[in-house]
Amino acid sequence: MPDDLSERLLFGQASDFSYVIIAISLLGLSTLLLLLVDFWNAPGTLLRDTLIGTVAICYFALMQRAITWLGRVKRAGEEARSYIAGMTRLLVLLGLIWSALLFLLTRAPDTSQLCLLYGIMVGCVATPVMVAPISSALAYWGPISAGICLSMLTARNPAGYAILDLLSFVGLTGFCILYLNSRLNERAVGAIRLEEKSEVIKLLLRDFEESASDWLWETNEALELQQVSHRLTQVAHRPVESFRGAFPRAMLGEIMNYDHRPGSPIDRLCQIIKEHSPFRDVVVPVLINGEERYWSLTGKPILDKSGRFLGYHGVGSDITGQRRQQEQIAFLARHDSLTKLANRVLFNEMLHQACDNCEQTGFALLCLDLDYFKIVNDTLGHATGDGVLVAVAERLRGCIREFDIAARLGGDEFAIILVTEDPQEAAGIAARIIERVSRPYHFDGQMVQIGMSAGISMAPRDSRNPSGLMKNADLALYRAKAEGRGVWRLYDVEMDERQKDRRILQSALRQAVLRDEFRLEYQPLVDLADGRIVGAEALLRWQHPERGLLPPGEFIALAEEAGLIGPIGEWVLGQACREAAGWPEHVGIAVNLSPLQFRDTGLVEIIDRALAQGGLAPERLELEITETTMLETNSETVDALWQLHGRGVRVALDDFGTGYSSLSYLRRFPFDKIKIDRSFIRDLGYEKDDSSIILAIIGLAERMGMVVTAEGVETPKQAQILTAYGCGQAQGYLFSRPVPGVVFAQILEAGTVQHKWQAQVSQIGQVAAQ
């Protein structure tokens, strides 16, 4: 047993022992008085009276020490031990004197005196049963029991049965002393430990209320709050007097007047309390100085032994910060962190709900995609790109109603659920969105221009399930992008058929790579000054086993989507170089590069390999790159272009004037040629603007030392005007349609192309002169 526990047990025993000793002493003194009266006339007066007086002195000494101990205010552990030891010695002495007195009195008593002595003997033997600690009890019980037994055994007429019964009683009292002291000690230790735990709990609760953000609360049987904690008054910003009344109204205050609707947290709490049931972490709103906050309450009913309800006790805490943090986490989990629009998770949930009710309330699904956003992101940086996305989200919010739902699905993809059954209304909103999103943006003094395309599907007309609606809206979006971007398209069944046809064609395209079904045709490039063929543009064809010869416009986009443009492009380069190696040395070959090829980090190695395997000089190869491709460049692709230029490979800017034309491209990249798009050639001679643009391009190219090639020349008049403008080269149906390599080689040998068109131009010149 720990020393501190042993000391506390000793203090408790000393106090209890003192009270018992006082009672025993008073009883002993009264017994002595009876003996003195009963034996007053008996012989042996002096010795008897001396022994009686000595016993009385012992009793008085015990009483005096016990009263003195109980009267002490401060008691030390050593003093308690000394007190118990002194009292034990007195009890030994008392037991010995009582034994001597009883031995003397049992020598010649009469019958009435003998009965008194038997009663005293039984009382003396039984008295130590009430004494603790055990050392003091045994100190008295041992001598008195031995003396009584000796007295009975040495009496004149010893009664055997009486002696046997006495010995049994002595044994029983000894057992009781040992057992009861042991049990009393255990209970005393348990009580001390329980008291210590209670003290610790009280200290912890006091510390809890003083330092923690939580508070303790308790009610009586009438549910009135008892001992309102200081912490509760601080949290509620209310005086103690305002907490009078029944729980929970007394604690929650004025919110009970506004938020007691069926099913509300407060209503559920009231139902639980009415049933006297326990509750845990019930979150309820409260109004504190006009601000809505949230408390978490836990309570347990107090019941007596019979199960009668006595009230509640529990704990409360203000969880407003935690609640708002959870709300913020929940918001971020279901909203885009950048634009604060709904994210894909929330949008899918809302789309499923809308589809479940689409028979009663139809709606339109808009799939939106930004046009040219990647260019902005790559050229101006991600910070500007993020700013554009935030601004786009704000414009989207301004275009829809409060019950419509806008979401950012990822990257530059957005979607909107419009609550309308009218396709024309949906189309009108889509047109308004495209117009507003396409307006210029200004960031850090720079104007940013992007666009938006939209695809629309209607529920339940086009589909009743989310996946079907999304697929149909995506098909409509794809159609909008294919038809020039910056427009909207409504889904129709033909789109689905075209998509299925695309999937079939894409599957066949994969087989075409393995089966070598591709062919190259060549369209001559003619020098307008002397009519010579100075080169050819390689044009890819697919010899489809069922559909015949397909032009690149029907499958190049599919090849890019399927990731097949790399192997197809490498085959084109190799084949073109091999065939061109057999042509005259002054005839070059031009090959188009797709944006995906251009971004390939192994482009230089692929071209080196094609030149080496084909046996073609680098200066005879010309790579054609569109303006759109230029917008997607990075430092590695620019370095690759300069490496190729350093090897002698020529680089041409294709379709100049149709995209984001910028003089910075001509300065940054090693272009050897500019190709004027056929859209400017088509109305040449009829549209003054086209003539002005062509003259400006030719003049620019001359000053920068570049060759100019006009595409799509179909009439002698166009050729004559271009020659007069100083255009160096041209290609088009006037000279020749694209032809297989064998036919092109024959044209080179015969020289028939230039003779034909030169004759036509000559005739036009003669007519003009007349």
Side-chain angles (χ1 to χ4, degrees):
M1 186 182 301
D3 292 341
D4 59 338
L5 187 59
S6 176
E7 187 170 310
R8 290 195 63 181
L9 178 62
L10 187 61
F11 278 128
Q13 288 178 334
S15 297
D16 295 339
F17 173 70
S18 298
Y19 287 113
V20 172
I21 284 297
I22 291 173
I24 291 174
S25 298
L26 291 174
L27 180 62
L29 290 172
S30 62
T31 302
L32 290 176
L33 182 60
L34 290 175
L35 280 174
L36 189 62
V37 172
D38 197 17
F39 283 85
W40 182 260
N41 296 319
T45 304
L46 180 61
L47 180 58
R48 181 197 65 205
D49 293 345
T50 301
L51 289 175
I52 290 175
T54 306
V55 171
I57 292 171
C58 287
Y59 279 130
F60 281 116
L62 288 170
M63 287 177 61
Q64 184 271 330
R65 289 177 63 87
I67 293 171
T68 302
W69 174 259
L70 292 174
R72 288 192 179 189
V73 177
K74 294 183 179 180
R75 305 166 186 171
E78 287 299 324
E79 291 178 342
R81 291 187 182 87
S82 176
Y83 167 69
I84 294 294
M87 296 292 275
T88 301
R89 288 191 293 271
L90 279 175
L91 288 171
V92 171
L93 178 62
L94 180 63
L96 292 172
I97 298 172
W98 259 118
S99 298
L101 179 59
L102 291 173
F103 181 82
L104 175 66
L105 295 176
T106 55
R107 295 304 90 195
D110 59 24
T111 303
S112 61
Q113 291 174 332
L114 190 60
C115 289
L116 175 61
L117 290 176
Y118 285 160
I120 293 173
M121 289 179 184
V122 171
C124 287
V125 173
T127 296
V129 174
M130 298 180 290
V131 175
I134 192 171
S135 57
S136 299
L138 294 176
Y140 178 69
W141 176 81
I144 196 67
S145 297
I148 290 172
C149 291
L150 180 63
S151 299
M152 292 295 293
L153 290 172
T154 58
R156 287 184 182 178
N157 299 307
Y161 293 112
I163 293 174
L164 183 62
D165 184 62
L166 177 63
L167 291 174
S168 299
F169 183 73
V170 169
L172 176 63
T173 55
F175 169 77
C176 289
I177 290 171
L178 295 174
Y179 177 76
L180 292 178
N181 266 272
S182 175
R183 294 295 294 167
L184 288 173
N185 282 347
E186 289 178 4
R187 291 185 180 182
V189 169
I192 292 171
R193 284 178 172 164
L194 181 61
E195 183 181 352
E196 289 178 344
K197 289 180 180 179
S198 299
E199 290 296 327
V200 171
I201 291 172
K202 288 179 181 178
L203 289 173
L204 290 175
L205 291 177
R206 190 179 303 116
D207 182 67
F208 172 81
E209 286 195 300
E210 291 175 357
S211 61
S213 60
D214 300 356
W215 63 88
L216 301 175
W217 59 273
E218 187 173 353
T219 74
N220 58 16
E221 184 178 358
L223 295 176
E224 296 171 331
L225 286 174
Q226 305 292 301
Q227 299 178 351
V228 177
S229 70
H230 178 63
R231 181 59 185 166
L232 176 56
T233 62
Q234 287 182 324
V235 172
H237 295 279
R238 290 161 52 194
V240 175
E241 296 77 17
S242 66
F243 290 93
R244 291 172 181 167
F247 179 84
R249 179 177 291 274
M251 182 181 290
L252 301 183
E254 59 180 314
I255 193 69
M256 294 286 292
N257 300 325
Y258 310 110
D259 192 9
H260 206 305
R261 63 191 185 280
S264 69
I266 292 178
D267 181 65
R268 293 198 302 271
L269 178 62
C270 291
Q271 291 296 326
I272 293 172
I273 292 172
K274 187 182 296 183
E275 298 168 359
H276 295 166
S277 300
F279 55 92
R280 183 178 182 84
D281 297 330
V282 175
V283 178
V284 292
V286 291
L287 284 177
I288 299 177
N289 296 334
E291 177 190 4
E292 186 177 52
R293 301 186 68 83
Y294 294 93
W295 288 358
S296 175
L297 300 178
T298 297
K300 184 178 180 181
I302 306 171
L303 306 175
D304 62 12
K305 293 181 179 180
S306 62
R308 187 171 65 89
F309 176 74
L310 301 179
Y312 269 103
H313 64 119
V315 63
S317 60
D318 188 325
I319 61 166
T320 305
Q322 179 183 348
R323 176 68 175 256
R324 289 174 180 166
Q325 186 177 24
Q326 291 174 347
E327 290 174 351
Q328 179 68 10
I329 293 172
F331 178 86
L332 293 176
R334 296 157 64 85
H335 290 79
D336 178 56
S337 59
L338 179 64
T339 64
K340 303 302 183 288
L341 294 176
N343 62 10
R344 187 181 293 273
V345 173
L346 178 57
F347 184 78
N348 285 338
E349 290 179 6
M350 302 306 294
L351 183 58
H352 276 80
Q353 292 178 15
C355 286
D356 291 341
N357 301 317
C358 68
E359 294 294 344
Q360 292 78 29
T361 306
F363 65 94
L365 173 62
L366 276 63
C367 281
L368 310 168
D369 195 68
L370 296 181
D371 300 327
Y372 313 114
F373 175 74
K374 187 178 186 306
I375 297 169
V376 174
N377 223 18
D378 292 345
T379 56
L380 301 180
H382 292 289
T384 301
D386 288 347
V388 170
L389 291 173
V390 172
V392 167
E394 287 301 316
R395 293 186 184 183
L396 287 179
R397 289 190 186 96
C399 292
I400 62 177
R401 300 154 297 188
E402 62 181 8
F403 48 80
D404 298 323
I405 300 165
R408 181 187 176 209
L409 303 184
D412 59 353
E413 300 177 19
F414 296 84
I416 296 176
I417 297 175
L418 296 176
V419 183
T420 177
E421 298 179 1
D422 184 3
Q424 295 308 313
E425 182 182 3
I429 295 174
R432 183 167 70 244
I433 289 172
I434 291 171
E435 187 274 327
R436 290 193 185 179
V437 171
S438 299
R439 293 175 185 175
Y441 301 81
H442 296 274
F443 294 96
D444 299 328
Q446 297 187 73
M447 187 182 76
V448 178
Q449 187 78 47
I450 59 171
M452 175 170 275
S453 302
I456 310 170
S457 62
M458 304 297 299
R461 186 192 72 179
D462 298 329
S463 180
R464 290 177 173 81
N465 62 78
S467 59
L469 282 171
M470 286 296 293
K471 183 197 74 171
N472 295 339
D474 279 335
L475 287 175
L477 175 62
Y478 182 85
R479 180 71 173 273
K481 284 187 168 292
E483 294 183 3
R485 303 172 185 260
V487 295
W488 56 266
R489 289 292 179 267
L490 273 165
Y491 168 79
D492 60 54
V493 178
E494 291 182 2
M495 291 180 183
D496 205 12
E497 295 299 325
R498 282 192 294 270
Q499 182 64 16
K500 291 178 181 177
D501 185 63
R502 282 174 58 84
R503 286 197 295 269
I504 293 171
L505 198 61
Q506 193 173 72
S507 177
L509 188 60
R510 295 182 184 277
Q511 299 300 317
V513 175
L514 302 175
R515 296 172 181 171
D516 195 23
E517 294 176 356
F518 296 108
R519 304 288 181 268
L520 285 183
E521 291 188 348
Y522 302 91
Q523 187 172 34
L525 294 171
V526 178
D527 189 326
L528 292 176
D530 56 16
R532 291 185 310 119
I533 296 176
V534 294
E537 181 178 0
L539 300 171
L540 182 62
R541 302 288 185 264
W542 177 13
Q543 188 64 53
H544 193 280
E546 298 175 1
R547 305 188 187 192
L549 201 63
L550 301 180
E554 295 189 22
F555 64 86
I556 287 298
L558 289 175
E560 290 179 338
E561 291 176 9
L564 299 173
I565 197 65
I568 293 175
E570 189 170 353
W571 178 87
V572 170
L573 280 168
Q575 183 67 16
C577 289
R578 280 191 293 272
E579 293 203 58
W583 303 340
E585 292 186 359
H586 72 279
V587 179
I589 180 68
V591 178
N592 289 282
L593 287 182
S594 80
L596 293 179
Q597 282 180 279
F598 189 63
R599 292 198 297 268
D600 190 344
T601 56
L603 178 63
V604 175
E605 290 77 8
I606 292 172
I607 293 174
D608 285 342
R609 185 163 56 249
L611 291 170
Q613 293 177 354
L616 185 71
E619 57 271 12
R620 294 179 62 189
L621 176 62
E622 183 177 285
L623 302 176
E624 295 188 1
I625 302 170
T626 64
E627 292 182 15
T628 303
T629 303
M630 290 296 96
L631 295 173
E632 301 179 9
T633 59
N634 54 41
S635 59
E636 293 181 358
T637 53
V638 173
D639 291 343
L641 274 184
W642 281 103
Q643 289 181 44
L644 293 169
H645 187 265
R647 287 170 166 76
V649 176
R650 292 173 295 166
V651 182
L653 181 58
D654 197 11
D655 300 333
F656 186 76
T658 61
Y660 284 81
S661 301
S662 172
L663 297 181
S664 64
Y665 300 147
L666 303 179
R667 186 176 66 252
R668 288 173 55 205
F669 300 103
F671 291 119
D672 300 284
K673 178 188 288 188
I674 295 176
K675 299 189 74 174
I676 303 174
D677 187 70
R678 65 181 69 249
S679 61
F680 298 107
I681 307 300
R682 185 181 304 115
D683 297 323
L684 186 62
Y686 302 99
E687 292 287 341
K688 291 183 179 181
D689 291 342
D690 289 343
S691 297
S692 300
I693 293 172
I694 292 171
L695 281 170
I697 294 173
I698 293 172
L700 176 66
E702 285 179 353
R703 285 190 291 274
M704 299 189 72
M706 299 179 187
V707 178
V708 177
T709 297
E711 297 181 295
V713 178
E714 298 182 356
T715 67
K717 184 178 181 180
Q718 291 171 345
Q720 183 191 31
I721 294 173
L722 289 168
T723 303
Y725 286 171
C727 181
Q729 298 176 0
Q731 70 181 94
Y733 286 177
L734 174 63
F735 312 110
S736 174
R737 290 178 176 274
V739 295
V742 175
V743 177
F744 181 72
Q746 294 173 356
I747 292 174
L748 287 175
E749 292 177 3
T752 56
V753 172
Q754 58 265 44
H755 296 319
K756 179 180 178 182
W757 76 266
Q758 281 179 321
Q760 292 174 331
V761 170
S762 177
Q763 291 175 4
I764 292 173
Q766 291 173 5
V767 171
Q770 293 174 357

